[in-house]
Amino acid sequence: MKNRCLNQCQDRYADYGGRGITVCDRWLHGAGGASGFECFLADMGRRPTPRHTVDRRENDGNYEPDNCRWATPA
């Protein structure tokens, strides 16, 4: 998620960061003394199974709590 949105050398960057998809500040930098990962975990919970990945409900929306869920390829 962060790599696709922030790393211009990543091969899928054009499909994510290159078209303006971002990761919310809370998940990048943290809040209230918690790290970005701790905030992500608090908002999303643990991955239900190894098959689940972070999915954006609105494909043109950003990676943020209201737009993300755990989903499988199916």
Side-chain angles (χ1 to χ4, degrees):
M1 169 178 71
K2 288 170 42 175
N3 200 25
R4 290 186 300 234
C5 292
L6 303 172
N7 181 359
Q8 294 182 14
C9 295
Q10 209 274 346
D11 52 342
R12 298 291 310 272
Y13 176 81
D15 298 323
Y16 293 88
R19 64 183 189 94
I21 305 298
T22 63
V23 179
C24 71
D25 258 4
R26 178 175 160 79
W27 291 358
L28 283 178
H29 306 293
S35 70
F37 179 73
E38 290 168 328
C39 290
F40 171 83
L41 196 57
D43 294 340
M44 293 289 294
R46 295 204 176 271
R47 183 165 58 161
T49 72
R51 294 197 47 174
H52 282 80
T53 61
V54 175
D55 178 60
R56 287 174 293 127
R57 289 179 175 95
E58 172 55 51
N59 192 48
D60 292 326
N62 297 321
Y63 286 98
E64 54 195 10
D66 291 341
N67 194 42
C68 290
R69 63 183 172 191
W70 290 113
T72 62

